[in-house]
Amino acid sequence: MSAPNPIPPTTPNRRGAGRAHPALLVFGAVLFAAAGSFSAGYLLRPQAIEPKAAKVYPQPRPIGDFRLTGSDGEAFDLERWSGHWNLVFFGFTYCPDVCPNTLTQLKAVDAALRRDGREPPRVTFVSVDPERDTPERLASYVEYFNPEFQSATGPHAELESLTRRLGLIYHVEPHPPGARTYAVDHSTALLLVGPDARLHAVFPAPHEVDSIAADLALLMRG
């Protein structure tokens, strides 16, 4: 078999044989530098950190006015949540499991943030069982978990209006007046209220201490 014909050489441009045009050199250098800068920027750009446990509202939601009574006997309204971060949980002191477990977790979240040198949010426990949960009982109940926790309750008209605006529900089992034993069903989510007294995020159950603490450190940073 005969060898293939070689590719004939092209005739060089005598004025620029063996050299690239200076303008092409400049353009190539700029392009290379731009590509390198883009690659380095892409590789070094920090990745966005997203909350793991919290469902964050794109825009904080207004809560609106309400009027409850704090465990200190004083009026408890939206002003109590203004100027600092707050974690809010609705329940009742006769709750056999969910409420004491959640308050224990909130105590652990508080401790975890303090260990990292961060200021924890204030915790508010709101009782949806005003018939049994007097301010005195509430004060004793939350103090067991953390003396810094605050608590409040109020008439059902106020509680129902507030929980509805916050996207929560609760139901008290029908019972005769003065009964001491009856069931109360309630939402188990934790609510993050910002210094602007607006709802910023929700932590749905199940709750995990490390994830909540990490999300709070991220969300309260801004």
Side-chain angles (χ1 to χ4, degrees):
M1 179 180 294
S2 59
N5 294 326
I7 300 174
T10 58
T11 303
N13 184 321
R14 295 299 178 183
R15 290 179 299 174
R19 294 187 303 163
H21 194 282
L24 293 179
L25 286 175
V26 173
F27 177 77
V30 171
L31 183 63
F32 180 80
S37 176
F38 173 81
S39 299
Y42 180 80
L43 293 174
L44 297 177
R45 184 177 59 204
Q47 300 299 311
I49 301 175
E50 297 293 336
K52 296 180 179 179
K55 307 300 182 185
V56 182
Y57 290 102
Q59 295 294 330
R61 294 178 54 184
I63 296 172
D65 294 330
F66 62 88
R67 188 174 181 83
L68 304 176
T69 301
S71 58
D72 56 4
E74 300 295 327
F76 194 106
D77 54 20
L78 192 61
E79 187 64 26
R80 291 279 194 115
W81 291 340
S82 179
H84 39 257
W85 289 95
N86 306 266
L87 267 181
V88 184
F89 178 62
F90 287 74
F92 64 114
T93 67
Y94 285 84
C95 180
D97 41 34
V98 173
C99 295
N101 290 342
T102 301
L103 288 169
T104 299
Q105 291 170 321
L106 291 174
K107 176 182 179 179
V109 169
D110 183 281
L113 289 170
R114 291 184 187 276
R115 280 196 303 270
D116 288 342
R118 301 180 183 276
E119 182 69 22
R122 293 186 180 182
V123 171
T124 302
F125 178 70
V126 180
S127 172
V128 294
D129 184 16
E131 294 177 63
R132 292 181 294 186
D133 288 345
T134 63
E136 295 77 18
R137 179 176 175 84
L138 277 173
S140 175
Y141 185 76
V142 298
E143 185 176 357
Y144 172 80
F145 298 97
N146 190 326
E148 298 295 324
F149 289 179
Q150 53 190 0
S151 55
T153 190
H156 284 296
E158 286 288 324
L159 292 168
E160 289 169 358
S161 175
L162 177 58
T163 53
R164 185 168 57 250
R165 279 178 275 145
L166 292 171
L168 306 177
I169 59 172
Y170 76 94
H171 173 73
V172 179
E173 180 183 58
H175 56 276
R180 306 307 295 171
T181 304
Y182 50 86
V184 178
D185 298 319
H186 60 91
S187 299
T188 58
L190 302 173
L191 309 178
L192 181 63
V193 178
D196 55 359
R198 291 173 177 254
L199 180 60
H200 284 243
V202 176
F203 292 88
H207 301 131
E208 203 278 321
V209 170
D210 290 340
S211 295
I212 293 175
D215 282 2
L216 288 174
L218 175 66
L219 295 171
M220 297 190 304
R221 186 175 60 191

